[in-house]
Amino acid sequence: VTQSNKDTIRPGRVEEITSTANPRIKSIKALGLKKNRDRESVFVCEGLKLATDAIDAEWTIRTLLYSKTAAEDDRLRDRIERLSATVRARGGDILITNEKVLTSLTRRDNPQAVVAVLEQKTTPVSEIKPTGNDCWVALDRVRDPGNLGTIIRTSDALGAAGVILVGETTDPFALETVRATMGSLFHIKLARMSEADFIERASGWTGQGVQITGTHLKGAVDHRSLDFTTGPQVVLMGNEQQGLTDALAASCSNLALIAMDGAADSLNLAVATGIMLFEARRHNLTAPGAAP
Ligand code: SAM
């Protein structure tokens, strides 16, 4: 928020709503459907921690709902007050409500103190320029919301530069995905591109010294033998059912196999991504206070 914006932003409105039949509540509930989220370019996140992470990371909360009972709780009052003051000052509306309304929005057994409606945000493809020791994760047609959320969280934890969604994927802004990211959605770059676009950019990147490692059950290289200190990296992961398309596999500098030793045919996508990223980022990871 720039100073001139600050001067012109009108504080959001505050309203008390106690009924699940209220039209504003119904329209937030409708954001459970992707077409409604996309039409308004918004999504829902739940929980005081996630909403605070979002606002701290300069994401825009259009509407903040909180439970009046939770705001009267000594352990939560200050945090809820601070959050709602910031949201309001940045132009977002505040809806003071109850647990029944919040539960109806999140379909959870344990009610959340806070639910937020946020503006969607992705990184324009033109801004993806792997440099230095960047490591990007690219996902071919990821289908499972839990996998995507876990991959976003793991990518954040291991210091990846961002996550590129290639082709038709599950919605990163679905409630289940956002939940699984545990707030990492707000800390990492997320971009989308078509398969054709990825392949075209991949050829430019490899020409500039970026190593693109595809992971494949027919990979010719043991992932532990790859050198990830050569410069910028892209780690490309395949679809849960079909693996990488042939065209994407052909765009890679290497195809790596993660060695296995049991009866399982393959690893879960999120687990495989974690293993690859750990290897690719190993030389950048520090555990302060622990012996190496
Ligand atoms: N039936 C799929 C296939 O034939 O590729 C299995 C896909 S696997 C569940 C999902 C993705 O995880 C794969 O495309 C690959 O990116 C990664 N993966 C899983 N296990 C792997 C392994 N042992 N080596 C390399 N990549 C693996």
Side-chain angles (χ1 to χ4, degrees):
V1 180
T2 64
Q3 188 56 48
S4 61
N5 275 346
K6 266 186 192 159
D7 295 340
T8 53
I9 286 175
R10 266 215 324 261
R13 285 174 305 171
V14 182
E15 196 179 335
E16 188 159 345
I17 296 180
T18 51
S19 165
T20 50
N22 179 287
R24 284 194 82 168
I25 301 302
K26 282 185 165 172
S27 73
I28 296 172
K29 210 168 179 178
L31 299 175
L33 291 180
K34 182 176 184 308
K35 64 172 188 192
N36 295 332
R37 289 194 291 275
D38 286 350
R39 192 183 53 237
E40 296 180 42
S41 195
V42 295
F43 66 104
V44 172
C45 98
E46 58 191 350
L48 183 52
K49 181 190 176 295
L50 251 62
T52 308
D53 279 358
I55 208 86
D56 287 348
E58 304 289 332
W59 283 56
T60 303
I61 295 186
R62 283 211 195 149
T63 311
L64 180 80
L65 302 92
Y66 69 79
S67 139
K68 198 172 181 179
T69 322
E72 283 161 6
D73 182 328
D74 285 347
R75 291 162 303 172
L76 300 175
R77 186 187 301 117
D78 286 357
R79 289 170 62 203
I80 293 179
E81 271 175 12
R82 258 201 312 273
L83 175 63
S84 69
T86 311
V87 170
R88 238 196 120 204
R90 293 188 195 171
D93 288 344
I94 310 295
L95 305 185
I96 305 169
T97 183
N98 55 35
E99 292 185 349
K100 193 177 75 187
V101 168
L102 294 178
T103 309
S104 78
L105 297 177
T106 59
R107 304 183 299 273
R108 278 233 189 198
D109 295 340
N110 55 331
Q112 296 288 327
V114 161
V115 168
V117 180
L118 291 111
E119 286 179 11
Q120 295 187 8
K121 193 156 78 173
T122 52
T123 297
V125 169
S126 57
E127 286 180 21
I128 302 177
K129 297 192 172 88
T131 53
N133 58 13
D134 284 356
C135 178
W136 284 84
V137 178
L139 304 173
D140 172 21
R141 296 162 299 149
V142 55
R143 280 276 169 266
D144 182 84
N147 276 345
L148 177 55
T150 305
I151 290 169
I152 291 173
R153 180 181 179 182
T154 309
S155 302
D156 174 26
L158 295 176
V163 175
I164 303 170
L165 303 176
V166 182
E168 281 293 310
T169 68
T170 191
D171 183 13
F173 298 111
L175 192 58
E176 195 183 346
T177 313
V178 175
R179 203 178 266 166
T181 73
M182 295 291 286
S184 288
L185 177 66
F186 307 123
H187 300 129
I188 197 154
K189 289 182 178 153
L190 188 67
R192 299 184 218 241
M193 59 178 85
S194 67
E195 177 181 291
D197 201 2
F198 181 88
I199 290 169
E200 195 185 323
R201 279 164 202 275
S203 111
W205 291 336
T206 45
Q208 293 155 16
V210 178
Q211 175 169 252
I212 304 181
T213 304
T215 52
H216 206 290
L217 298 180
K218 293 195 183 123
V221 192
D222 182 319
H223 81 292
R224 293 166 298 184
S225 69
L226 283 166
D227 181 2
F228 290 104
T229 63
T230 53
Q233 306 289 326
V234 176
V235 173
L236 174 60
M237 308 299 300
N239 166 271
E240 288 95 333
Q241 273 82 43
Q242 294 153 9
L244 285 178
T245 64
D246 290 345
L248 282 173
S251 73
C252 296
S253 331
N254 314 296
L255 286 182
L257 174 69
I258 303 169
M260 299 186 291
D261 190 27
D265 292 339
S266 64
L267 296 158
N268 159 276
L269 170 64
V271 170
T273 309
I275 293 171
M276 285 304 295
L277 258 186
F278 180 79
E279 210 54 43
R281 296 282 305 155
R282 176 189 282 273
H283 55 289
N284 295 105
L285 301 175
T286 48

